[in-house]
């Protein structure tokens, strides 16, 4: 294949099709028309003598040949972007760009206020976006650059292509209205088991550890309402005799929002680790490095000086 006869812009289209696996979504991301993107795909098929992408129920699926080309293509584009186009004096803090965090509603409550305050001061031209991506899609989203950092409790997020850093461990706390008619200063085991409870069940998150601790002790409580999110908890608890068990940092926020007080659970519960995760593809990217160092400085007391460790390793970064 004669490289002088190749339109290298087609490689950008190829890369976006691999990321989006949809001609229409790739066209939108590239600010191209769908017919122009389809035409580029046809030229790519001729170039590589392979269909590359096959129609699927939703979008298109890469052929084995397209998957084979994905890694070298990504390497080439990354070298062009980071080595040729990246200005050596660029400062991520002064750049106009968007940072995307994957976190659930608990993360938004705990991380976002402090993160936004610091980001507005340190990088006033940067925007912040939060998303909640299904766990099985996180690695692909990080690799594609659709997400900059995953922050939270993700115990099953293990991949040789993903770095992780432990930020802190959190505990749980029982929240109830200040004038609760039964519970005194400290809730007892009997009071906990006799009470009516509101329970949040965000799939795959740290609350599962609390539920497992109850089950291991053979303890059952009366649950009268189950919720997928924490948003309604402070109002429900403040206006009823219900008790909810939430991460301690969330309980502190609820206590500032409503007529709520906190009490330590009447039994020991494992402390889940909250971490930040990033893809190896962006490990040396200046903007990603700046972002995760900022998160580290805000939410750990260890500073930021060492490289991260891959998620498949038992070693963890102090940065």
């Amino acid at each position: 294949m004669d490289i002088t006869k190749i339109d290298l812009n087609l490689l950008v289209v190829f890369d976006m099709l691999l990321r989006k696996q949809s001609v229409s979504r790739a066209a939108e991301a590239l600010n191209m028309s769908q017919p122009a993107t389809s035409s580029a795909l046809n030229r790519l098929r001729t170039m590589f003598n392979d269909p590359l992408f096959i129609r699927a129920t939703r979008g298109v699926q890469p052929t084995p040949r397209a998957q084979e080309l994905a890694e070298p293509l990504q390497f080439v584009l990354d070298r062009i972007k980071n080595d040729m186009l990246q200005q050596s004096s660029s400062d991520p803090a002064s750049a106009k760009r968007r940072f995307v965090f994957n976190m659930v509603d608990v993360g938004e409550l705990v991380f976002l206020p402090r993160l936004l305050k610091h980001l507005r001061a340190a990088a006033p031209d940067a925007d912040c976006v939060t998303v909640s991506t299904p766990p099985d899609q996180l690695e692909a989203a990080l690799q594609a650059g659709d997400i900059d950092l995953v922050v939270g409790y993700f115990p099953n997020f293990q991949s040789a292509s993903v770095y992780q850093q432990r930020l802190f461990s959190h505990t749980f706390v029982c929240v109830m209205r200040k004038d609760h008619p039964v519970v005194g200063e400290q809730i007892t085991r009997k009071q906990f088991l006799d009470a009516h409870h509101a329970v949040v069940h965000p799939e795959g998150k740290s609350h599962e550890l609390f539920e497992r601790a109850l089950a291991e002790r053979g303890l059952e409580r009366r649950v009268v309402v189950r919720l997928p999110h924490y948003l309604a908890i402070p109002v429900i608890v403040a206006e009823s005799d219900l008790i909810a068990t939430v991460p301690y940092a969330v309980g502190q926020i609820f206590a500032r929002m409503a007529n709520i007080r906190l009490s330590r659970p009447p039994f020991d519960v494992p402390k889940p680790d909250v971490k930040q995760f990033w893809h190896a593809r962006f490990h040396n990217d200046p903007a990603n490095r700046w972002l995760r160092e900022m998160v580290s400085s805000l939410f750990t007391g260890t500073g930021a000086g060492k490289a991260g460790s891959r998620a498949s390793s038992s070693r963890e970064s102090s940065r």
Side-chain angles (χ1 to χ4, degrees), residues 12 69 75 119 153 157-158 171-172 175 202 271:
V12 178
L69 292 168
F75 175 79
L119 197 60
Y153 174 71
F157 193 17
Q158 302 290 329
T171 58
F172 293 93
V175 297
K271 297 180 180 180

Side-chain angles (χ1 to χ4, degrees), residues 135-149:
D136 61 347
Q137 298 176 23
L138 283 176
E139 183 176 350
L142 282 172
Q143 181 179 6
D146 295 334
I147 297 172
D148 293 300
L149 290 178

Side-chain angles (χ1 to χ4, degrees), residues 34-50:
Q34 187 164 336
T37 306
S38 297
S39 175
L41 175 55
N42 288 332
R43 293 170 65 190
L44 284 164
R45 285 166 170 163
T46 301
M47 181 190 305
F48 291 104
N49 193 28
D50 187 89

